[in-house]
Amino acid sequence: MIIPPKGYLPGVRKVCDEFGVLMICDEVMAGWARTGKMFAFENFDVIPDIVTFAKGVTCGYVQLGGVAVSKKIAEYFDDHMLSCGLTYSGHPLACAAGVACVNYYNRHHILEHVVETGKVLGEALEKLKAEHVCVGDVRYIGLFSAVELVKSKKTKEPIVPYGKDPDGIMGKILGMLKDRGFATYSHENMIMVAPPLIITEEQLREEMAVLDQVLSIVDEEFL
């Protein structure tokens, strides 16, 4: 979960071009400023043929998803019918919310804010990794990150088996976080840390202190 593709996306683009394959980037979670760029692929010097998006385009206030395509693909349908009618496609309320949200991102310099607070998040995560025996790895880009929990830093054995959590360990950890006002979710042995894009540095440090506290309990009671 949340493994920034450092170095290899240009290679994927090259292979797609070589064999005539469309490159599709799923930006449903990573798009709309989450990584410090409007779309995550912009961090890696590639341009995909198709981009899927949702979530952040309206900040979740109204459901909206979409697909953006390259000019070459769009021009194909100038002379060919695209038969994909949907019941709620182009809903004016959802589209208006999307426009308002994107305008807010630009007007309030959210991209720049995410870059700056993302540095604070990264530093806090690295500190947690260094100080807690239960943290096997941390991965982050902008305000999009995950903490990987392990039984052993040396073997990287996950704190719960893949696809299983017979003792409800991750649920207990999430419960402790929730009791302290830290709302998030987990996937397998990883805790998602993806705060609101408008979070302040002070607020971010307060919440990371909560995570620090809970991880100390994990070190003592779950390993």
Side-chain angles (χ1 to χ4, degrees), residues 128 131-135 147 149-150 159 168-186 190-193 205-223:
L128 294 179
E131 295 181 352
H132 292 283
V133 295
C134 67
V135 179
V147 177
L149 302 183
V150 296
I159 198 169
I169 290 175
M170 294 305 297
K172 292 174 183 176
I173 294 171
L174 292 180
M176 289 189 290
L177 288 168
K178 183 179 179 180
D179 289 342
R180 292 162 175 79
F182 190 114
T184 188
Y185 69 95
S186 66
M190 287 159 282
I191 296 174
M192 186 85 164
V193 182
R205 292 190 185 279
E206 288 177 359
E207 295 308 312
M208 295 308 288
V210 171
L211 181 57
D212 184 25
Q213 182 185 30
V214 170
L215 291 176
S216 293
I217 297 174
V218 176
D219 286 340
E220 295 175 4
E221 299 183 8
F222 292 87
L223 301 184

Side-chain angles (χ1 to χ4, degrees), residues 155-176:
T155 65
K156 295 296 180 71
E157 180 185 358
I159 198 169
V160 295
Y162 180 76
K164 302 176 183 178
D165 189 1
D167 299 317
I169 290 175
M170 294 305 297
K172 292 174 183 176
I173 294 171
L174 292 180
M176 289 189 290

